[in-house]
């Protein structure tokens, strides 16, 4: 007899698609938030622009991308709104004070605020990572997937403990990232700050995501 195909089972290609999409998103994020701003900064410096002008132009790249993504999706992107708001605030302060370092310090403010929010949400009934998992489950599976994710939080104490651990690690790493960013922006020569902060960002993000994907896969915490 010819075997009956069960179309409800994911194919290897479909199963691997979320991982591929995550890698593409990470590569795109690094290109837009790191590689392109560095290229703009050093190109303008080579053309004779001062540090403040080059820094403003380089910082405008990820801010403009966040605004463009929000305009295309026709919905409010909270993360993108924060990026644009911090860039405008940091840019205004930098122009008024003439200090380009404020544009780099604001990156520390962003990751620090996010890390603080992740940690503070642990005191709430439903922490940040639970909401993030629910959003991912909804995007991947739909309302049924989101409901299943919520039930695991309600019914499984081991799941709750592990998800809280993920929240602690993510929050602490983001807070440490903020401290390092502010320190680099405050004491390092400005022409080196652009490279050092971006290298530090890539190392932090790669390390955090590597642990995150390993731990969530090992302990069944994928939404």
């Amino acid at each position: 007899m010819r075997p009956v195909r069960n179309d409800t089972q994911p194919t290897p290609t479909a199963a691997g698609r979320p991982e591929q999409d995550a890698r593409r998103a990470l590569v795109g994020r690094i290109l837009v938030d790191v590689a392109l701003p560095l290229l703009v900064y050093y190109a303008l410096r080579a053309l004779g622009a001062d540090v403040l002008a080059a820094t403003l132009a380089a910082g405008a790249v990820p801010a403009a991308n966040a605004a463009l993504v929000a305009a295309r999706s026709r919905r409010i992107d909270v993360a993108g709104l924060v990026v644009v708001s911090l860039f405008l605030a940091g840019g205004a302060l930098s122009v008024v004070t003439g200090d380009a370092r404020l544009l780099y310090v604001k990156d520390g403010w962003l990751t620090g605020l996010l890390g603080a929010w992740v940690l503070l949400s642990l005191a709430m009934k439903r922490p940040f990572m639970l909401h993030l998992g629910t959003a991912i489950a909804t995007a991947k599976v739909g309302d049924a997937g989101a409901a299943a994710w919520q039930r695991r939080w309600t019914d499984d104490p081991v799941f709750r403990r592990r998800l809280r651990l993920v929240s602690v690690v993510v929050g602490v790493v983001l807070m440490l990232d903020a401290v390092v960013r502010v320190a680099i922006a405050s004491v390092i020569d400005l022409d080196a700050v652009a490279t050092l902060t971006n290298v530090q960002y890539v190392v932090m993000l790669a390390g955090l995501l590597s642990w995150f994907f390993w731990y969530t896969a090992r302990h069944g915490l994928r939404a």
Side-chain angles (χ1 to χ4, degrees):
M1 294 180 62
R2 185 177 181 180
V4 178
R5 180 180 176 182
N6 185 358
D7 290 331
T8 62
Q9 297 297 320
T11 64
T13 301
R17 193 167 298 150
E19 294 290 343
Q20 295 174 357
D21 291 343
R23 292 191 186 97
R24 290 194 190 100
L26 176 59
V27 171
R29 182 75 181 269
I30 291 174
L31 287 175
V32 173
D33 289 355
V34 179
L36 190 54
L38 278 176
L39 179 63
V40 170
Y41 177 85
Y42 287 112
L44 289 175
R45 289 289 285 156
L47 292 172
D50 62 27
V51 173
L52 180 56
T55 301
L56 284 169
V61 174
N65 179 69
L68 181 61
V69 169
R72 284 179 174 176
S73 61
R74 295 184 179 180
R75 61 183 178 82
I76 297 176
D77 179 7
V78 176
L81 182 62
V82 170
V83 170
V84 174
S85 299
L86 284 175
F87 173 75
L88 292 175
L93 285 173
S94 297
V95 171
V96 170
T97 63
D99 188 357
R101 293 184 187 276
L102 289 174
L103 278 173
Y104 294 104
V105 170
K106 60 90 179 171
D107 291 333
W109 298 345
L110 176 61
T111 54
L113 287 172
L114 179 57
W117 169 243
V118 172
L119 293 175
L120 288 173
S121 72
L122 289 169
M124 301 176 183
K125 185 177 180 180
R126 296 178 180 275
F128 172 84
M129 295 305 299
L130 178 64
H131 290 294
L132 179 62
T134 301
I136 294 173
T138 302
K140 289 170 61 177
V141 185
D143 292 338
W149 181 259
Q150 296 276 355
R151 281 195 302 271
R152 292 183 68 188
W153 174 262
T154 303
D155 301 336
D156 188 348
V158 175
F159 175 81
R160 290 196 298 271
R161 184 174 69 251
R162 288 172 175 168
L163 197 61
R164 286 192 180 104
L165 175 61
V166 172
S167 297
V168 170
V169 172
V170 171
V172 169
V173 169
L174 291 177
M175 294 288 286
L176 291 174
D177 174 77
V179 172
V180 173
R181 280 173 179 265
V182 172
I184 290 174
S186 300
V187 302
I188 302 297
D189 180 75
L190 271 175
D191 273 330
V193 168
T195 299
L196 286 176
T197 54
N198 282 290
V199 169
Q200 179 265 337
Y201 170 76
V202 171
V203 171
M204 180 278 297
L205 189 62
L208 180 59
L209 289 180
S210 296
W211 177 85
F212 179 86
F213 287 133
W214 169 80
Y215 187 84
T216 54
R218 180 181 178 84
H219 297 290
L221 298 178
R222 297 292 179 87

